[in-house]
Amino acid sequence: MTQRELTVAQAINEALVQAMTADPSVYIMGEGVPDPKGIFGTTLGLRDKFGADRVLDMPVAENGMTGVAIGSALMGMRPVLVHQRVDFALLAMDQMVNQAAKWHYMFGGQLSVPLVVRLIIGRGWGQGPQHSQSLQSWFAHIPGLKVVMPTTPQDAKGLLLASIQDPNPVIFLEHRWLHNIKGWVSPDQDITPLGKARIARAGKDLTIVSVSYMTLEALRTADWLAAQGIEAEVVDLRTLRPLDTDTIVESVKKTGRLLVADTSWKLCGISAEIVALATEAAFSSLRCAPVRITLPDTPSPTSHAMAQFFYPRAVNLYEAACQMVNIPYHNPEPPLKSTQLDVPDKSFTGPF
């Protein structure tokens, strides 16, 4: 099979092109979808290819456009709705939580809402507390919604194709730092099944369950641990709901140690769910208490100075892992000087 190296943004764009070509009921709507930046490059060229009737620019009316998308889905269309920030979608929570998520259940399975809502998450310079949140745990809490968070370009394409084909609403969360990550992508319409985690790296001494961008930090941590003779297994969650409990539990039973790395907060977050799962299903296998690496319990900062102390990195995972496997900790990185933790790390490149 021929594969090419694409960025995550290019992989998402290709998934949209293939889905819209294969199925005329698929259309895209959202604020700025056809503008020159094309939602971080993910929707570039789509209006030229498919026309204004299938690539709809929308006003700043999040609740209204989400309602339109749900209505059209009920009439047989397959909309892909884009909110440039997850924070903007909060204005449409009633539509997503009270309407889209409930329809299949309330009508006994006779009606469904085949809607994909793409939401951009993560840090960015100057974005601050209202434009850089990672609210995946909100959506994962709601029965009736599926929640997807890809890391690799291949998964971004495969999971988006699966989401568009799904008969019920899917929340598709993209970390903005991943859009420029490169990796090998199949040119075919290969589906990545929803609800199946990926073993990003096999190991036997420690399990690191990671979400989205934090998978890259986890893989860097695993490299450092390997230099110390410790084999960490990195489980890229890929889908928060449905949750692949079997893969997580199997890995914890094998390694006896669990470290969870999330892009969001600790309290009531997905990291708490993973730890609860491990203690319920693999308690006798645990050799030490599970550890969570998440954001500190404050709103996201705006300034570089505060961001330096806010966002967790591989070195934080590594320090925790060293304590869990009882090896000496030595900072594997030189002290941070000018590096800004709200600017993407250029060292993360594919394929991986």
Side-chain angles (χ1 to χ4, degrees):
M1 179 183 295
T2 303
Q3 291 186 319
R4 304 82 24 86
E5 191 176 61
L6 302 180
T7 66
V8 165
Q10 291 169 329
I12 290 172
N13 184 275
E14 186 166 273
L16 293 170
V17 169
Q18 291 182 350
M20 295 178 75
T21 301
D23 185 351
S25 70
V26 178
Y27 76 98
I28 300 171
M29 63 188 304
E31 182 189 353
V33 166
D35 77 11
K37 293 183 178 178
I39 314 292
F40 297 91
T42 61
T43 57
L44 289 177
L46 296 181
R47 175 171 276 191
D48 292 338
K49 187 174 183 64
F50 296 102
D53 290 340
R54 296 183 66 190
V55 182
L56 285 67
D57 197 4
M58 301 299 288
V60 183
E62 287 80 4
N63 193 44
M65 74 170 97
T66 306
V68 169
I70 293 171
S72 70
L74 289 168
M75 297 300 293
M77 303 297 288
R78 288 185 176 272
V80 178
L81 174 63
V82 188
H83 293 290
Q84 295 196 29
R85 300 283 186 278
V86 67
D87 318 77
F88 302 166
L90 302 190
L91 294 164
M93 287 297 282
D94 177 66
Q95 296 285 5
M96 291 185 285
V97 174
N98 268 336
Q99 306 302 329
K102 306 295 191 296
W103 217 272
H104 187 77
Y105 174 79
M106 290 194 302
F107 290 91
Q110 297 182 62
L111 294 170
S112 62
V113 179
L115 164 68
V116 177
V117 183
R118 289 182 51 208
L119 304 171
I120 313 300
I121 64 168
R123 55 185 121 161
W125 178 83
Q127 293 299 304
Q130 297 172 314
H131 296 81
S132 58
Q133 300 173 88
S134 296
L135 302 174
Q136 55 267 25
S137 297
W138 285 26
F139 298 103
H141 186 66
I142 304 300
L145 295 180
K146 296 181 177 68
V147 180
V148 177
M149 297 183 74
T151 302
T152 70
Q154 177 62 52
D155 280 349
K157 177 181 177 181
L159 288 167
L160 182 54
L161 287 170
S163 300
I164 293 172
Q165 293 181 10
D166 196 277
N168 285 295
V170 177
I171 305 298
F172 194 90
L173 292 144
E174 305 159 24
H175 197 291
R176 75 186 69 173
W177 279 22
L178 295 176
H179 280 134
N180 290 323
I181 295 295
K182 291 183 178 179
W184 297 104
V185 177
S186 168
D188 301 325
Q189 291 184 257
D190 293 338
I191 298 297
T192 303
L194 305 184
K196 182 61 180 174
R198 175 178 70 102
I199 303 296
R201 178 178 179 135
K204 62 179 179 57
D205 298 316
L206 167 72
T207 296
I208 305 177
V209 176
S210 55
V211 174
S212 183
Y213 167 79
M214 290 305 291
T215 299
L216 304 189
E217 301 284 1
L219 289 171
R220 175 178 283 179
T221 303
D223 286 341
W224 294 339
L225 290 170
Q228 300 290 324
I230 302 299
E231 297 179 24
E233 181 154 286
V234 178
V235 179
D236 180 7
L237 210 51
R238 296 203 291 199
T239 305
L240 275 61
R241 190 186 185 101
L243 186 64
D244 185 358
T245 58
D246 290 345
T247 297
I248 297 168
V249 171
E250 183 179 339
S251 180
V252 172
K253 285 183 175 178
K254 179 173 64 174
T255 67
R257 301 178 179 90
L258 173 63
L259 177 62
V260 186
D262 187 20
T263 60
S264 188
W265 294 285
K266 182 179 293 183
L267 187 67
C268 299
I270 188 64
S271 65
E273 184 65 31
I274 301 300
V275 170
L277 170 67
T279 53
E280 289 172 350
F283 183 77
S284 60
S285 300
L286 290 171
R287 302 167 66 181
C288 65
V291 175
R292 291 178 282 164
I293 302 294
T294 64
L295 302 178
D297 194 19
T298 70
S300 307
T302 301
S303 73
H304 293 317
M306 297 177 69
Q308 294 289 81
F309 302 98
F310 185 74
Y311 294 107
R313 305 166 48 244
V315 69
N316 305 114
L317 275 67
Y318 179 66
E319 183 176 11
C322 287
Q323 294 178 5
M324 296 174 74
V325 298
N326 195 28
I327 61 173
Y329 168 74
H330 301 288
N331 192 336
E333 285 189 333
L336 291 174
K337 294 181 179 178
S338 60
T339 301
Q340 297 168 340
L341 292 190
D342 50 3
V343 177
D345 186 337
K346 294 181 180 179
S347 66
F348 287 132
T349 57
F352 49 85

